[in-house]
Amino acid sequence: MVNSNFCMLDSDSPKTHSRLKIGSNFLGILNDIKRRPEDAAKELDVSSELIFSIIEGRLDLPIELVDKATKIWPVNKRDFFVIDDDCSNGVKLMTANDSEKSKRIMNRAGKPYYEYRDTVMSTVAPFRPEWILELCTVEDNDPANPAVQWNHGHFMHQFTYFIGEVNFYYEDSSGNKKVAIMNTGDSMYITPFTRHSFTTRSDAKENGLILALTYGGQLTGDIQQELSALSVELGSNFALDFSSNESASAELLTYHRKISNFTLTELSKNTSINISDLKLFENGSKLPSFSELKQLANALTVNIRDLLPNDKTESEVIVKYHNEGRTWFYPEDNDSYLFHELASTSTLPFSKSFEIQVNNSNNSELDLESGLHQYVYNIGNNPITLTWKLNDEIFTKLIHSDDSLYLKPFIKHNFRGNGKLLVLRIGGKIPGDSQRELSIVGKKNAKRAISETLLWFDPKGRN
């Protein structure tokens, strides 16, 4: 019998919201494996009252119950736990003073190479930002300079904003060492596992600084766990050849044909496309026309977009100098903000980066809102006031120079004052295919998809 002597929590406890979410998630698991609460109680050898108390958020979910459930049901331990929300009012702030307290020196080759500091991070946000002071100084711009210590690359995507005179070293897709001469306002993006390094140039008045914002894309979390469970050998087969439009188109078509167990003969019969053309499509010698893609998608029961490669093949490293970025005022017919475009990539359409010049405005309208997670760093010398609204309540915070903050998606807000902000917007796991799936579920059922509240059937019957 599982120990049922669990601590009751006060309804005003900070844990209450998390406990309710865990209870809702637990009900969702039972629905998915078609267990009523009383079925779960019987199989887990506990009382029905305990199961209902967990579902209703009146009791914590005990780890020993999770251990037992994973032994008898085809579920994983991590399925039972939900993300803790560390910014219940929609915003989390880290001051420059708190950031300085986190500083640590990283040595490479026996010498101080970087000074790291944390800036704001949240349990619900997909980014892991780093404040990095370049302690290594170089006398030249040679990418093969022996003083430069290279890393092995890392799993996270990385956007970097440069402050001061910094050399950025990276390897191209052929393994050749390169260097980009960066200055304040320049930016770059690198794909995961790109080897790189940074130094300060010897003629600089002070050490160069970077704001390196690393973040997970769609592969982190559940996706990475699923790939790992499949094994390296099997999971690696999901990586198709996207080195060119032709190869990407060929591999996407072949993948969808094979998971449907269609022969070329059968696909030809269902599309009226002759087999010789299908072979050309699948070996990358020819791209299907739009009408042919429509026929193929219909035969394979997919959307045309599922057979389309990316519009363009971009470099693994994108360097953007400040004078290359577009600028525009926002909102319409207003100069409250001057947006300056920084480095971005079309392979991550839900990743946006900007420098925003905040101009003095007396307008109290909450004129900003983004359906992406937002990281904000005050790169200017003046404090900026942030005002936002959540659950019909208005909040205000003062963001001083070198403070950083996180805003949840769809928070209506504004910035007021006279200064400059660095803003990175990241989609996380929801925009894209997950957003499309939620949209198909529909707004009517979205609440249950986010937080299950009902048993999947009514025991009393329903006509």
Side-chain angles (χ1 to χ4, degrees), residues 256-316:
H256 282 286
R257 179 175 67 81
K258 287 185 175 181
I259 64 174
S260 300
N261 278 111
F262 273 0
T263 62
L264 287 171
T265 300
E266 187 66 19
L267 188 57
S268 176
K269 188 193 320 182
N270 283 273
T271 60
S272 300
I273 300 173
N274 63 58
I275 293 178
S276 59
D277 279 337
L278 292 176
K279 288 181 178 179
L280 292 175
F281 297 160
E282 290 199 358
N283 67 25
S285 299
K286 182 180 179 182
L287 288 172
S289 67
F290 184 79
S291 62
E292 289 168 329
L293 281 171
K294 189 174 181 179
Q295 290 175 287
L296 290 165
N298 184 59
L300 295 167
T301 319
V302 298
N303 290 298
I304 294 175
R305 64 186 288 269
D306 298 317
L307 300 176
L308 288 172
N310 292 343
D311 292 340
K312 55 185 177 180
T313 302
E314 290 186 311
S315 170
E316 295 177 352

Side-chain angles (χ1 to χ4, degrees), residues 133-421:
L133 193 68
E134 278 56 61
L135 303 179
C136 176
T137 301
V138 293
E139 300 293 332
D140 58 47
N141 298 326
D142 183 358
N145 188 319
V148 180
Q149 303 300 317
W150 294 69
N151 65 12
H152 297 299
H154 46 66
F155 185 42
M156 308 288 268
H157 298 270
Q158 180 171 324
F159 164 86
T160 301
Y161 182 84
F162 294 84
I163 299 174
E165 299 168 66
V166 180
N167 277 4
F168 163 46
Y169 305 86
Y170 62 94
E171 283 188 352
D172 64 18
S173 58
S174 300
N176 300 312
K177 291 184 175 180
K178 303 285 187 178
V179 62
I181 314 304
M182 311 299 275
N183 293 286
T184 298
D186 295 340
S187 56
M188 66 79 167
Y189 160 80
I190 55 174
T191 57
F193 303 116
T194 298
R195 293 186 65 215
H196 59 281
S197 189
F198 305 94
T199 64
T200 299
R201 295 193 290 279
S202 60
D203 57 351
K205 294 180 179 179
E206 54 186 5
N207 291 91
L209 171 67
I210 62 170
L211 298 173
L213 309 175
T214 59
Y215 53 98
Q218 298 296 323
L219 286 180
T220 56
D222 287 345
I223 308 302
Q224 186 181 25
Q225 292 284 346
E226 183 176 341
L227 287 169
S228 178
L230 291 174
S231 78
V232 172
E233 179 183 1
L234 298 176
S236 296
N237 289 312
F238 282 101
L240 306 180
D241 180 3
F242 271 29
S243 59
S244 69
N245 279 4
E246 291 77 13
S247 61
S249 176
E251 297 229 336
L252 285 167
L253 175 57
T254 303
Y255 177 78
H256 282 286
R257 179 175 67 81
K258 287 185 175 181
I259 64 174
S260 300
N261 278 111
F262 273 0
T263 62
L264 287 171
T265 300
E266 187 66 19
L267 188 57
S268 176
K269 188 193 320 182
N270 283 273
T271 60
S272 300
I273 300 173
N274 63 58
I275 293 178
S276 59
D277 279 337
L278 292 176
K279 288 181 178 179
L280 292 175
F281 297 160
E282 290 199 358
N283 67 25
S285 299
K286 182 180 179 182
L287 288 172
S289 67
F290 184 79
S291 62
E292 289 168 329
L293 281 171
K294 189 174 181 179
Q295 290 175 287
L296 290 165
N298 184 59
L300 295 167
T301 319
V302 298
N303 290 298
I304 294 175
R305 64 186 288 269
D306 298 317
L307 300 176
L308 288 172
N310 292 343
D311 292 340
K312 55 185 177 180
T313 302
E314 290 186 311
S315 170
E316 295 177 352
V317 177
I318 295 175
V319 172
K320 191 157 196 170
Y321 297 105
H322 194 264
N323 60 5
E324 296 174 338
R326 294 175 295 181
T327 60
W328 63 93
F329 286 107
Y330 188 89
E332 203 76 48
D333 303 320
N334 196 320
D335 62 355
S336 294
Y337 312 103
L338 178 64
F339 277 71
H340 187 101
E341 184 181 55
L342 301 176
S344 62
T345 171
S346 63
T347 60
L348 296 173
F350 303 106
S351 171
K352 308 291 181 183
S353 57
F354 311 100
E355 235 183 40
I356 301 180
Q357 176 66 46
V358 181
N359 299 320
N360 280 321
S361 172
N362 296 321
N363 187 346
S364 62
E365 180 184 358
L366 301 178
D367 48 18
L368 293 172
E369 179 184 2
S370 173
L372 303 173
H373 298 271
Q374 290 193 85
Y375 172 88
V376 181
Y377 189 100
N378 188 345
I379 55 176
N381 297 319
N382 301 323
I384 297 292
T385 299
L386 166 68
T387 301
W388 75 99
K389 183 179 181 180
L390 183 64
N391 297 327
D392 295 322
E393 187 174 354
I394 299 295
F395 302 87
T396 300
K397 280 187 183 293
L398 193 62
I399 314 164
H400 294 278
S401 182
D402 296 319
D403 287 353
S404 54
L405 61 91
Y406 161 68
L407 291 91
K408 286 181 176 179
F410 297 109
I411 294 285
K412 292 186 177 180
H413 62 286
N414 67 33
F415 295 108
R416 293 295 181 257
N418 186 12
K420 186 178 290 186
L421 303 172

Side-chain angles (χ1 to χ4, degrees), residues 400-458:
H400 294 278
S401 182
D402 296 319
D403 287 353
S404 54
L405 61 91
Y406 161 68
L407 291 91
K408 286 181 176 179
F410 297 109
I411 294 285
K412 292 186 177 180
H413 62 286
N414 67 33
F415 295 108
R416 293 295 181 257
N418 186 12
K420 186 178 290 186
L421 303 172
L422 170 66
V423 175
L424 177 69
R425 295 174 178 168
I426 300 296
K429 296 290 189 297
I430 302 171
D433 287 341
S434 299
Q435 184 181 30
R436 286 174 179 267
E437 185 173 346
L438 185 62
S439 300
I440 291 169
V441 170
K443 287 186 178 293
K444 179 181 176 181
N445 295 313
K447 290 183 178 180
R448 284 188 63 192
I450 296 167
S451 181
E452 182 58 279
T453 56
L454 298 173
L455 192 65
W456 83 94
F457 75 102
D458 189 340

Side-chain angles (χ1 to χ4, degrees), residues 28-35 73-75 456:
I29 292 173
L30 298 185
N31 279 350
D32 292 343
I33 60 173
K34 298 301 180 283
R35 261 68 169 182
W73 297 336
V75 291
W456 83 94

